[in-house]
C-alpha cells in the first residue's frame, strides 16, 4: 500500500515502478480513502499501542493506493523493497531509506507474513477484483 503521505507526495508511480521492475506482478490495485472501520481491522494487531489512534487517523486521512502483489517470496521481497519501519534504520535503496524520515510517515505498508497478506487482501479486495494472468517476462525473471 502507498499510504496517504506517499500519494500526497506524488510517489505512487515511484513505488509501483520499484515493484514492477523487481519482477513482482501486480494483480489488483485501487486508490481509495480507507474507512475508519477498515483501518481498525487492517491494523488490529496494533490496537493496544500508544500510536494506534494517530496511525488510524493518518491512514484514513486521504487516498491511499492498495495493491495485491504476487511473485516468488512476495512477502519477504516486498518487506525488503519497503525497508525498516523506522526510516532512520531503513537501508539506502529501500523506499523508506530513500524517501522517508519519520516512522509515522513511512510512505508504504506491506503485509508481514503470507497469513497477514491473506487477511489484509480480504479487507481491501473482493476475489473478482484480483486478476489472474502471466507476465510475458516470467521466463526471464524465473529460472
Ligand atoms: P510495518 O509498517 O513496517 O509493518 P508496524 O510495526 O506493523 O510496521 O507498524 C505499522 C505502522 O505503524 C508503521 O508503518 C508506522 O507507520 C506506524 N508505527 C509503528 N511504530 C510506530 C511508533 O513507534 N510511532 C509512530 N508510528 C509507528
Ligand atoms: Mg506491520
Amino acid at each position: 500500500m502507498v499510504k496517504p503521505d506517499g500519494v500526497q507526495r506524488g510517489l505512487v508511480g515511484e513505488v509501483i515502478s520499484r515493484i514492477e521492475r523487481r519482477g513482482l506482478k501486480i494483480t489488483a490495485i485501487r486508490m481509495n480513502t480507507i474507512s475508519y472501520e477498515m483501518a481498525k481491522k487492517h491494523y488490529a494487531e496494533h490496537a493496544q499501542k500508544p500510536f494506534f489512534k494517530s496511525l488510524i487517523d493518518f491512514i484514513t486521512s486521504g487516498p491511499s493506493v492498495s495493491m495485491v502483489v504476487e511473485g516468488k517470496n512476495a512477502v519477504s521481497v516486498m518487506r525488503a523493497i519497503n525497508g525498516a519501519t523506522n526510516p532512520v534504520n531503513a537501508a539506502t535503496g529501500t523506499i523508506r531509506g530513500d524517501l522517508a524520515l519519520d516512522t509515522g510517515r513511512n510512505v508504504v505498508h506491506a503485509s508481514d507474513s503470507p497469513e497477514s497478506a491473506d487477511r489484509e487482501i480480504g479487507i481491501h479486495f473482493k476475489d473478482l477484483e484480483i486478476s489472474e494472468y502471466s507476465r510475458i517476462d516470467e521466463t526471464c525473471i524465473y529460472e
Side-chain angles (χ1 to χ4, degrees):
M1 176 189 294
V2 186
K3 296 181 184 180
D5 50 336
V7 173
Q8 289 299 320
R9 292 174 59 197
L11 295 174
V12 174
E14 168 80 32
V15 171
I16 290 175
S17 172
R18 288 176 182 227
I19 296 168
E20 288 187 319
R21 282 186 293 150
R22 184 66 185 264
L24 293 171
K25 178 169 68 179
I26 296 168
T27 58
I29 185 162
R30 174 196 306 113
M31 177 181 280
N32 66 326
T33 300
I34 293 175
S35 70
Y36 196 73
E37 288 313 309
M38 276 171 87
K40 281 201 297 188
K41 273 195 212 165
H42 176 98
Y43 278 128
E45 65 175 309
H46 297 307
Q48 306 309 321
K49 306 269 173 64
F51 57 84
F52 186 64
K53 187 183 180 306
S54 62
L55 177 61
I56 298 302
D57 285 347
F58 181 66
I59 208 78
T60 58
S61 67
S64 51
V65 173
S66 302
M67 284 172 259
V68 178
V69 171
E70 292 181 16
K72 190 172 183 183
N73 299 311
V75 167
S76 358
V77 172
M78 260 324 307
R79 299 279 298 180
I81 289 172
N82 284 1
T85 305
N86 186 341
V88 78
N89 301 321
T92 297
T94 66
I95 291 170
R96 289 161 171 174
D98 291 346
L99 304 169
L101 289 172
D102 223 353
T103 305
R105 298 290 184 272
N106 59 6
V107 184
V108 279
H109 165 82
S111 311
D112 61 12
S113 68
E115 295 71 30
S116 307
D118 278 346
R119 195 185 71 81
E120 292 171 12
I121 289 167
I123 295 170
H124 296 279
F125 292 97
K126 301 189 182 87
D127 284 353
L128 279 174
E129 294 171 322
I130 302 170
S131 297
E132 259 184 53
Y133 68 102
S134 302
R135 253 170 64 162
I136 203 158
D137 58 4
E138 280 170 14
T139 50
C140 301
I141 291 165
Y142 295 110
E143 190 175 8

